[in-house]
């Protein structure tokens, strides 16, 4: 039986090629995902570990520390603590670190790199006046407020050299700094493509709001002292709410965090790989079903000469094993190429990825082979069982495989129950997990029901097909001749288009909801913020408020506090101008009350706290001081504007560092490019500051969602490609089965052009059937998900992207036309006499 199975595989190479390709694509996606995520994770981990080579023990504020119960009020690491740390037994040296955001402009005034990867730090002149972390390549360390040192990679990228003047921004205002030196570093952020500017310690502390204090103290162990022993010595001198961590622990924690961050990407990519494999299962099952049908006489003869049912099933599974092994091996090779390609693609977009080798782990090889073999054998198992059940005599007389009415009734009943159960779960889902479960059941149920649905849906195409004469009539009859095969072929395309349509509907609706929220709640003409989303200097708001075109402005400042014993963030705003800058509905009170100890709260917070207009409550501010605030108004909040608003002058004395998240501005005559340029010029044409109109905010949302959708389309395209292979496979094997019939059609007068048209129209009808089903299900899932999304996004409303759905339907038609090219050509070339004589 083993030799027979191998001979069958080798004797019918062409008919199994499409099956191998279908499995190979799915396996390639899986292995490519594993290679890509392993490579990126390994590169980031090695890069981050380099940054800890000079750190044996790090002293930091305790992560959960706070002053008098106020979050964010962390203890200060002083110079005195650093000096004492350097003198503990086993310590060779101690270095103080201060770091934050530092935007560096290139010679054209544009920001170098991305905002989140542009950083600044201090050069700590230790023993010999040098900082071992940053050896100077040329020049010297920065001295005084007007100098910086620049990392070598950034200097090369921007064409800077020692002595050049560079424009730098830390929190808004532009600083003109002279480059005193260019250094090399093992900093992981720089290795990943970021930039690093160094200030002298006093300047860095001042710029980052920590005069006389450090973010971290790194201690180097003396020769012969372990990290653990040094940590024990340091813990004896550390003040309360600080902690010591060994360099190894920091590196391990960093590796764990990187691995966790990769998990989300890996899971997302593997989901799409799973979808491609799921679609492939239909194709494999369809292929083996047709192969078994074509070989019924051969299998019957094997049964007649003594082969058992189990042996017949086993022979089919051996064929599947061979196909799965070949597909797994070729898929692994293709996946390695996909992994390398994805890395190059991500790097080409400007994303910061460290250098490193391509990582192909043994687990990736094992998973690829197991997936290829297991998926193929699972899909072939049911056709194998069907083959074994065919009675030898009935098969030898070609009386086989006719679906009974009873079997169809049972199938339709099961499909109806599964679909109804899935729809019920989707409509009542309270979480995305439940929604996903329900959607999966609906897809499975509809697939089971597809043979029943195919007849009325395809029958609807009869008036159009009638225009093509006899080929059109034959195409419709062929499409419904074997409903199960038609269902399996159309379902592969249906699944891909269901996901694409559903995601498009949801994304478009979310985009409009956020756009409506952003533009509907703002009267301000401009919103000013840092490109890195770091805080702005208060100087920005001061400069804008004195600009001749500005009629109203307000900062948005955030400060941690405790209200009624619970953590609560206070938002500081300009009370007298907020009414001119925002468009909020009040259930009670108004903006006029926002001053002194009167605050405004959103309706959700008011309900939770049982506050009404005039309610008073105790507050512990960021500096630990206590006070009493009164509700002066309750407004309808949204995801962009919510919380407790307090007048900025009232809040400022309690803040450790006063800075702004963003600044809202209203100008004379409304938004205008000339005014925007004037505002930018007033802020020193700072590359790190973005000045956005409401339209800019809307466009930014559209761009982000569009980019995400395009990525998803690219990933789901794999499932559509697999579906195309399925349609080609089905048509090719259908043509093979109908050789005699096609020969008879040729003999009675249907020419080659008519044969080609018949096969093409059959393919088109099947593909459009899958397209209509997929788009319909996608719209249903998009509508059903709306109730779930609306709980967190009040402005969400269903938006049907008619133009895109039309494109998707056109895509289904194109799939049908392309998939029929080869089978139609093959059918037209059949010799009519040979075809008529074929068994």
């Amino acid at each position: 039986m083993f030799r027979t199975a191998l001979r069958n595989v080798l004797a019918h190479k062409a008919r199994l090629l499409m099956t191998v390709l279908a499995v190979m694509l799915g396996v390639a996606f899986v292995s490519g995902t594993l290679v890509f995520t392993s490579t990126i994770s390994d590169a980031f981990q090695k890069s981050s570990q380099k940054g800890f080579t000079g750190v044996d023990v790090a002293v930091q504020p305790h992560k959960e520390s706070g002053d008098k119960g106020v979050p964010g009020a962390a203890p200060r690491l002083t110079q005195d603590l650093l000096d004492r740390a350097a003198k503990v037994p086993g310590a060779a040296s101690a270095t103080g670190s201060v770091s934050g955001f530092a935007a560096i402009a290139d010679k054209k005034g544009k920001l170098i790199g991305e905002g989140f990867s542009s950083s600044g730090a201090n050069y700590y002149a230790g023993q010999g006046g040098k900082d071992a972390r940053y050896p100077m390549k040329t020049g010297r360390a920065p001295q005084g407020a007007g100098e910086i040192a620049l990392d070598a990679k950034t200097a090369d990228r921007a064409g800077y050299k020692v002595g050049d003047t560079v424009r730098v921004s830390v929190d808004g205002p532009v600083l003109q700094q002279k480059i005193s030196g260019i250094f090399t570093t093992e900093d992981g952020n720089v290795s990943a493509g970021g930039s690093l500017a160094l200030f002298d310690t006093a300047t860095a502390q001042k710029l980052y709001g920590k005069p006389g204090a450090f973010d971290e103290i790194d201690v180097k162990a003396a020769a012969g002292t372990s990290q653990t022993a040094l940590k024990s010595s340091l813990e004896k001198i550390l003040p309360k709410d600080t902690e010591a961590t060994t360099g190894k622990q920091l590196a391990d924690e960093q590796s764990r965090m990187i691995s966790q961050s990769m998990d989300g990407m890996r899971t997302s990519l593997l989901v799409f790989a799973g979808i491609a494999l799921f679609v492939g299962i239909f194709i494999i099952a369809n292929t083996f079903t047709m192969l078994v049908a074509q070989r019924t006489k051969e299998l019957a003869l094997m049964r007649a000469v003594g082969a058992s049912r189990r042996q017949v099933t086993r022979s089919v599974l051996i064929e599947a094993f061979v196909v799965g092994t070949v597909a797994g091996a070729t898929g692994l090779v293709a996946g390695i190429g996909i992994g390398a390609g994805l890395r190059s693609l991500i790097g080409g977009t400007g994303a910061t990825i460290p250098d490193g080798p391509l990582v192909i782990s043994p687990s990736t090889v094992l998973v690829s082979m197991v997936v290829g073999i297991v998926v193929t054998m699972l899909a072939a198992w049911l056709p194998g069982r069907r083959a074994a059940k065919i009675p030898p005599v009935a098969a030898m007389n070609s009386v086989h495989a006719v679906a009974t009415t009873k079997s169809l009734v049972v199938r339709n009943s099961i499909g109806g129950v599964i679909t109804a159960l899935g729809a019920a779960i989707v409509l009542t889902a309270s979480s995305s997990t439940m929604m996903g479960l329900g959607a999966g059941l609906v897809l499975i149920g509809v697939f089971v029901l597809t043979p029943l649905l195919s007849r009325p849906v395809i029958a609807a195409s009869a008036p159009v097909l009638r225009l093509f004469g006899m080929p059109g009539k034959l195409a419709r009859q062929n499409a419904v001749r074997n409903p199960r095969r038609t269902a399996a072929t159309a379902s592969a395309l249906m699944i891909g288009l269901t996901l694409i349509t559903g995601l498009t509907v949801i994304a478009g609706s979310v985009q409009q909801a956020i756009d409506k929220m952003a533009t509907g709640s703002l009267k301000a003409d401009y919103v000013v913020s840092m490109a890195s989303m770091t805080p702005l200097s208060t100087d920005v708001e001061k400069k804008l408020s004195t600009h001749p075109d500005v009629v109203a402005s307000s900062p948005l400042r955030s400060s941690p506090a405790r209200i009624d014993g619970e953590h609560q963030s206070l938002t500081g705003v300009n009370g007298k101008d907020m009414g001119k800058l925002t468009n909020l509905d009040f259930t009670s009170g108004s903006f006029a009350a926002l001053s002194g100890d009167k605050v405004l709260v959103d309706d959700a917070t008011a309900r939770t706290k049982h506050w009404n207009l005039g309610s008073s409550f105790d507050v512990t501010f960021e500096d630990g001081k206590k006070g009493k605030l009164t509700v002066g108004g309750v407004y309808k909040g949204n995801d962009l504007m919510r919380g407790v608003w307090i007048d900025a002058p009232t809040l400022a004395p309690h803040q450790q560092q006063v800075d702004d998240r963003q600044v809202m501005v209203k100008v004379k005559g409304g938004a205008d490019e000339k005014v925007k340029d004037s505002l930018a010029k007033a802020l020193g044409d700072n590359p790190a500051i973005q000045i956005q109109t409401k339209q800019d905010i809307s466009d930014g949302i559209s761009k982000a969602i569009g980019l995400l959708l395009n990525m998803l389309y690219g990933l789901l395209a794999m499932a559509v490609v697999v579906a195309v292979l399925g349609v080609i496979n089905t048509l090719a094997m259908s043509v093979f089965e109908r050789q005699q019939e096609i020969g008879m059609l040729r003999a009675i007068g249907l020419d080659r052009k008519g044969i080609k048209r018949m096969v093409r129209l059959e393919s088109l009808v099947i593909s459009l059937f899958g397209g209509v089903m997929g788009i319909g299900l996608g719209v249903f899932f998009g509508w059903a998900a709306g109730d779930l999304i609306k709980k967190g996004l009040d402005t969400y409303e269903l938006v049907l992207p008619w133009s895109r759905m039309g494109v998707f339907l056109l895509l289904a038609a194109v799939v049908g036309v392309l998939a029929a090219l080869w089978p139609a050509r093959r059918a037209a070339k059949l010799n009519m006499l040979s075809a008529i004589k074929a068994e």
Side-chain angles (χ1 to χ4, degrees):
M1 293 301 294
F2 180 73
R3 286 196 301 272
T4 302
L6 286 180
R7 277 200 301 270
N8 281 324
V9 173
L10 297 174
H12 304 284
K13 303 179 189 72
R15 73 186 182 187
L16 291 172
L17 176 62
M18 296 300 176
T19 307
V20 170
L21 284 174
V23 183
M24 185 200 76
L25 284 172
V27 173
F29 209 164
V30 172
S31 58
T33 295
L34 295 175
V35 169
F36 171 66
T37 52
S38 296
T39 298
I40 299 301
S41 180
D42 182 72
F44 273 113
Q45 286 176 0
K46 287 181 178 176
S47 177
S48 67
Q49 287 169 359
K50 287 180 181 178
F52 295 111
T53 53
V55 181
D56 287 312
V57 179
V59 178
Q60 301 166 318
H62 197 281
K63 293 181 179 63
E64 298 178 357
S65 63
D67 182 17
K68 299 184 181 180
V70 179
R76 294 161 65 88
L77 304 179
T78 62
Q79 182 68 46
D80 176 62
L81 178 60
L82 187 149
D83 293 337
R84 285 190 290 131
K87 296 175 182 178
V88 300
S93 63
T95 303
S97 297
V98 184
S99 60
F101 170 71
I104 303 166
D106 61 19
K107 291 184 176 180
K108 294 181 180 179
K110 302 296 183 182
L111 178 66
I112 297 176
E114 301 291 336
F116 63 85
S117 63
S118 302
S119 56
N122 67 310
Y123 185 93
Y124 187 83
Q127 296 176 354
K130 295 183 178 181
D131 190 333
R133 299 172 299 175
Y134 311 115
M136 287 293 154
K137 185 177 179 181
T138 58
R140 58 170 175 78
Q143 297 172 358
E147 293 184 344
I148 64 164
L150 205 58
D151 74 89
K153 288 188 176 182
T154 301
D156 290 342
R157 194 170 16 161
Y160 285 128
K161 60 183 184 298
V162 174
D164 287 347
T165 299
V166 61
R167 298 168 74 241
V168 181
S169 173
V170 170
D171 58 0
V174 176
L175 307 173
Q176 298 287 342
Q177 303 287 106
K178 183 179 179 181
I179 299 177
S180 66
I182 294 173
F183 61 91
T184 59
T185 177
E186 295 292 340
D187 185 282
N189 185 59
V190 174
S191 299
S195 63
L196 178 61
L198 296 180
F199 306 90
D200 69 276
T201 297
T203 301
Q205 288 174 329
K206 181 181 178 183
L207 288 173
Y208 295 119
K210 299 178 178 69
F214 300 97
D215 295 321
E216 181 175 307
I217 296 173
D218 298 327
V219 186
K220 183 74 175 172
T225 303
S226 68
Q227 291 186 352
T228 306
L230 179 59
K231 177 186 174 184
S232 298
S233 299
L234 284 167
E235 286 175 338
K236 296 175 182 177
I237 67 157
L238 294 184
K240 184 182 177 183
D241 293 332
T242 58
E243 60 182 351
T245 310
T246 65
K248 184 179 183 307
Q249 288 175 321
L250 289 173
D252 290 345
E253 175 66 15
Q254 187 81 351
S255 295
R256 186 185 64 78
M257 290 173 63
I258 290 171
S259 181
Q260 281 184 345
S261 67
M262 288 292 110
D263 284 346
M265 181 188 295
R266 185 183 294 112
T267 301
S268 299
L269 291 173
L270 286 175
V271 165
F272 290 101
I275 291 167
L277 284 169
F278 185 57
V279 172
I281 286 174
F282 293 120
I283 297 168
I284 300 162
N286 214 15
T287 300
F288 276 94
T289 298
M290 288 186 284
L291 290 178
V292 167
Q294 290 171 13
R295 290 163 43 203
T296 49
K297 290 188 177 182
E298 175 191 327
L299 294 172
L301 183 60
M302 291 170 61
R303 290 289 310 281
V305 297
S308 66
R309 287 187 174 186
R310 185 174 296 177
Q311 285 178 309
V312 172
T313 303
R314 195 178 300 153
S315 71
V316 176
L317 292 177
I318 289 170
E319 287 186 54
F321 176 81
V322 174
V323 171
T325 302
V326 173
T330 53
L332 173 62
V333 174
I336 293 170
I338 289 174
L342 281 172
R343 177 175 174 169
S344 299
L345 181 65
I346 296 295
T349 62
T352 54
I353 299 176
D355 296 329
L358 206 63
V359 178
I360 306 164
S361 65
S363 62
T364 298
V365 177
L366 181 63
V367 167
S368 300
M369 295 305 298
V370 168
V371 166
I373 293 168
V374 169
V375 166
T376 309
M377 292 186 71
L378 281 176
W381 178 73
L382 191 57
R385 277 181 56 85
R386 285 179 186 163
K389 288 181 178 180
I390 298 172
V393 175
M396 293 178 75
N397 285 283
S398 297
V399 183
H400 65 278
V402 177
T404 63
T405 304
K406 180 181 178 182
S407 69
L408 289 174
V409 170
V410 171
R411 175 176 178 140
N412 294 337
S413 300
I414 294 172
V417 171
I418 295 173
T419 304
L421 178 61
I425 294 175
V426 166
L427 294 174
T428 58
S430 57
S431 67
S432 56
T433 303
M434 291 295 292
M435 178 68 70
L437 174 63
L441 287 174
V442 169
L443 277 175
I444 293 170
V446 170
F447 168 68
V448 175
L449 286 173
T450 308
L452 175 67
L453 299 172
S454 63
R455 288 187 179 276
V457 175
I458 293 176
S461 65
V464 177
L465 291 175
R466 212 173 283 131
L467 299 175
F468 295 93
M470 185 56 65
K473 182 178 180 180
L474 291 171
R476 185 180 66 80
Q477 290 174 348
N478 289 334
V480 296
R481 177 187 295 183
N482 191 332
R484 295 189 181 196
R485 182 186 302 171
T486 298
T489 306
S491 294
L493 188 59
M494 178 189 76
I495 292 169
L497 286 180
T498 294
L499 294 167
I500 289 174
T501 305
L503 289 171
T504 302
V505 170
I506 292 170
S509 301
V510 168
Q511 178 180 321
Q512 179 172 289
I514 296 176
D515 183 34
K516 184 178 179 181
M517 182 191 302
T519 57
S521 58
L522 278 179
K523 286 183 184 176
D525 295 310
Y526 297 103
V527 175
V528 181
S529 61
M530 294 290 281
S532 61
M533 304 309 293
T534 52
L536 278 165
S537 166
T538 54
D539 289 344
V540 172
E541 197 273 332
K542 290 176 183 176
K543 288 182 179 180
L544 291 173
S545 64
T546 58
H547 192 281
D549 290 321
V550 174
V551 295
S553 66
S554 173
L556 263 72
R557 299 171 182 170
S558 183
S559 176
R562 291 185 75 86
I563 295 175
D564 296 334
E566 297 179 357
H567 293 184
Q568 180 76 46
S569 180
L570 299 177
T571 301
V573 297
N574 183 350
K576 64 183 180 65
D577 279 354
M578 281 303 287
K580 303 173 186 175
L581 298 167
T582 57
N583 188 25
L584 296 178
D585 293 329
F586 279 79
T587 58
S588 60
S590 67
F591 278 117
L594 187 55
S595 64
D597 63 354
K598 296 283 185 67
V599 298
L600 305 180
V601 299
D602 67 278
D603 51 352
T605 302
R607 283 195 301 271
T608 303
K609 300 286 188 181
H610 304 292
W611 291 340
N612 296 305
L613 186 66
S615 298
S616 295
F617 55 89
D618 295 324
V619 60
T620 302
F621 291 102
E622 183 179 342
D623 60 356
K625 293 183 180 178
K626 296 183 178 181
K628 188 176 284 290
L629 300 175
T630 303
V631 177
V634 178
Y635 63 91
K636 292 182 179 178
N638 56 47
D639 285 344
L640 296 179
M641 295 190 176
R642 61 171 54 182
V644 180
W645 290 6
I646 184 172
D647 199 23
T650 304
L651 181 64
H654 300 289
Q655 292 183 270
Q656 289 186 349
Q657 181 179 350
V658 181
D659 49 34
D660 302 330
R661 292 204 314 268
Q662 59 186 36
V663 177
M664 294 186 291
V665 178
K666 190 167 184 63
V667 296
K668 299 173 184 175
D672 180 83
E673 279 300 317
K674 290 183 178 179
V675 175
K676 186 176 181 179
D677 292 341
S678 177
L679 294 177
K681 191 172 183 179
L683 297 175
D685 289 320
N686 192 323
I689 294 181
Q690 55 184 8
I691 303 173
Q692 295 178 297
T693 63
K694 287 185 280 189
Q695 187 60 48
D696 291 334
I697 295 171
S698 176
D699 291 345
I701 295 166
S702 300
K703 185 178 179 181
I705 292 177
L707 179 62
L708 178 62
L709 261 186
N710 289 335
M711 289 176 63
L712 294 175
Y713 287 162
L715 295 169
L716 287 169
M718 185 71 72
V720 175
V721 170
V722 174
V724 172
L725 293 175
V727 178
I728 295 172
N729 209 11
T730 300
L731 288 173
M733 305 194 91
S734 178
V735 167
F736 179 82
E737 282 182 356
R738 294 178 356 224
Q739 285 185 79
Q740 197 172 48
E741 175 188 317
I742 291 170
M744 288 295 295
L745 289 171
R746 289 290 314 282
I748 62 175
L750 191 63
D751 59 10
R752 289 186 174 182
K753 187 180 287 186
I755 294 292
K756 282 184 179 180
R757 185 175 295 167
M758 176 187 73
V759 176
R760 287 171 183 163
L761 288 173
E762 180 183 347
S763 174
L764 184 62
V765 166
I766 292 173
S767 295
L768 285 174
F769 169 55
V772 169
M773 293 292 292
I775 292 171
L777 282 173
V779 170
F780 169 70
F781 291 141
W783 168 77
D787 288 338
L788 201 60
I789 297 170
K790 205 163 187 176
K791 293 177 182 178
L793 194 60
D794 293 339
T795 52
Y796 182 90
E797 291 179 2
L798 181 68
V799 176
L800 294 181
W802 294 106
S803 59
R804 290 207 179 191
M805 289 193 295
V807 171
F808 297 156
L809 196 59
L810 181 62
L811 173 66
V814 171
V815 165
V817 172
L818 293 178
L821 291 178
W822 179 61
R825 185 180 177 84
R826 182 182 176 188
K829 282 188 173 183
L830 286 174
N831 182 289
M832 69 176 76
L833 295 177
S834 299
I836 290 171
K837 290 190 296 182
E839 293 186 359

